Amino acid sequence: MSKSARPYQSRAIEECCRHLAAGKNTLLVSPTGSGKTYMSGSIARRLIGNGSKALILAHRRELVHQLSNTLSEFGVAHGVIAPGMPPMKHFGVQVSSIQAILSSSRSIGRDKLDLIVIDEAHRAAADSYQYICKKHPKTPVLGLTATPWRTDGKPLSVAFDELVVATSIENCVEAGYLVEPWVIQPEEYDWDKGQMVGDPVSKWAKYARGMRTILFASSVEESMRYADEFNKFGIKAVHICSKTKDERRRSVLSGIEGASPDPMVICNYDLLTEGVDIPSLQCVILARKTESSIVYRQAVGRIMRPPGPAIVLDLASITMHHGFVTDEPDYSLDGRMPKIDGEARDDIRICDGCKSVLPAKGACRECGPDKGDGDGDKQKEPLSWIDAELVDLSMFGNKVSCGKCGSRKVSIKEGKISPGKQDYYAQCAECSHLGKFSVKSDKYEKKTQASKRLYWDKFVDQARSNTSDVAKVRSFAKGRFRKMFGEWPPWSWGESVK
């Protein structure tokens, strides 16, 4: 495979190989869309030599096919254990769903294995996976996941010895490997009653018309109903579920990626949260309530692959309760899934103007500080006109882009220059969307970062006076930092706490 590894992938691959070579069961955590499958293929190619035997497990048919394709790209000969597939027992490497391997005629514990790989490894503590692993107690296990928790609270330390965190969502967004989603909550939502105001079709038509979309419903019946409503509106939509035949499912998933998407919208219930790689997706509609951080993060992760845009129509107030997907906890093998209560978080608000979900502190990136900030007495300061020019926003790093289509080029229409900071109204050269953004000078940015670092060190010292647990120190310091500045500290600062 000619594709070269990204820096964080190279580090993670080396660390995982080192642990596995020492016989340690290793869990690799990396965000959705960051290349976990690529990393697993690289690791497998390095550890599986001629004559080696390995078993690669997933829990869904789509994942089995993806893993098989990746191994083929890396030149790893293998067989696939699945209904309708001819047995290829002469290959030492086999890819299988957990259901297929348990029901197959193969003697699970008969052959000595050199490696076991488990995709979506937050499931690895389940009895079915543990049955396989216990049949091969001396075989190292590599697990892959973006969400290392279980809904039943069982720790993953029962299945793994070592944890390798490849990177964070925030780092991937800053490097341009992922696109930060723009979250919109158009209406109020009664979290306790689970009642949604408004319908997905009209909200999609207003905020995401023409975007390739996946909708997550609260039931199969609702998914079918939403698909019907989209079709009545003149938008081609399809409902798929676990009963949808493989050929039909593949046709739907490939159809949405076409130059003329057919369908434009895919509706489902809890089917496409994992194992779906559709880079062209641009919008996700959350038309269901969930208290699971796994479901929430996996669903939003479907649309974060470049080039964007990435629009989240949050019709169930999920972000207001779970927080942004870029807000990641400190991971550990004994960690529990973040809990939420019935109250919306007080560090997040909804813009009164454009309905964007954003940190409680700071201006809306679409409306600016003059609209939707809850201050009715605040007057908009007059802006001075400057000559219109085409500006490539990549010169300012990865923090600025058109909020609607993700383009890096805008035409400056109007601007107010203040010390160290420039506020612009800009029109996108691609989609003509008019929005507001800010660009800070290097000098201003360095001074601000230095000041923030002093506060970060202070928060770390405060935490260490009460606990020696590194995870708790990081969590406390990050929380205080976010409360003061309305943003999370750089990922590297948290990693520097040892």
Side-chain angles (χ1 to χ4, degrees), residues 309-441:
I311 306 295
V312 178
L313 290 184
D314 187 352
L315 307 185
S317 193
I318 296 177
T319 307
M320 290 293 293
H321 289 79
H322 284 274
F324 299 101
V325 293
T326 50
D327 302 342
E328 294 177 277
D330 290 311
Y331 298 121
S332 73
L333 291 176
D334 291 316
R336 300 295 191 270
M337 184 175 68
K339 298 292 184 181
I340 63 171
D341 54 35
E343 299 296 324
R345 292 172 49 152
D346 57 9
D347 59 344
I348 299 176
R349 69 182 178 90
I350 300 174
C351 174
D352 293 331
C354 66
K355 302 303 181 182
S356 295
V357 181
L358 59 150
K361 294 182 179 180
C364 174
R365 74 179 187 179
E366 289 298 303
C367 302
D370 307 307
K371 187 177 181 181
D373 59 2
D375 187 353
D377 297 328
K378 194 168 185 177
Q379 300 295 317
K380 179 178 176 179
E381 299 180 17
L383 295 175
S384 58
W385 284 91
I386 61 177
D387 293 334
E389 58 177 322
L390 191 65
V391 177
D392 185 350
L393 294 183
S394 62
M395 65 186 291
F396 300 123
N398 290 293
K399 297 181 180 180
V400 184
S401 63
C402 173
K404 187 172 183 180
C405 75
S407 172
R408 311 292 295 168
K409 292 186 177 182
V410 300
S411 179
I412 299 298
K413 294 296 184 184
E414 188 179 22
K416 176 178 177 295
I417 300 176
S418 58
K421 186 176 180 182
Q422 300 179 44
D423 293 330
Y424 291 118
Y425 278 97
Q427 189 166 32
C428 177
E430 301 292 335
C431 71
S432 300
H433 175 68
L434 185 66
K436 188 170 183 179
F437 66 90
S438 298
V439 178
K440 296 178 180 179
S441 69

Side-chain angles (χ1 to χ4, degrees), residues 121-156:
H122 46 278
R123 301 172 180 272
D127 292 341
S128 54
Y129 287 96
Q130 286 302 294
Y131 174 79
I132 301 291
C133 294
K134 288 176 181 178
K135 288 288 185 178
H136 302 275
K138 296 183 179 180
T139 301
V141 178
L142 171 65
L144 313 164
T145 187
T147 50
W149 315 292
R150 285 180 56 84
T151 54
D152 62 6
K154 184 183 293 186
L156 292 178

Side-chain angles (χ1 to χ4, degrees), residues 209-267:
R209 181 186 287 272
M211 294 185 181
R212 294 171 173 86
T213 299
I214 186 169
L215 179 148
F216 291 95
S218 59
S219 67
V220 171
E221 291 73 19
E222 282 209 349
S223 174
M224 296 172 65
R225 179 167 63 85
Y226 290 143
D228 288 341
E229 290 178 1
F230 269 104
N231 284 305
K232 290 177 183 178
F233 191 74
I235 304 300
K236 184 58 183 291
V238 173
H239 158 79
I240 60 175
C241 64
S242 59
K243 296 180 180 179
T244 305
K245 293 183 178 180
D246 285 355
E247 184 177 350
R248 172 60 173 163
R249 195 184 303 187
R250 286 194 294 269
S251 174
V252 169
L253 296 179
S254 62
I256 199 171
E257 292 206 85
S260 299
D262 183 9
M264 180 68 75
V265 179
I266 299 177
C267 301

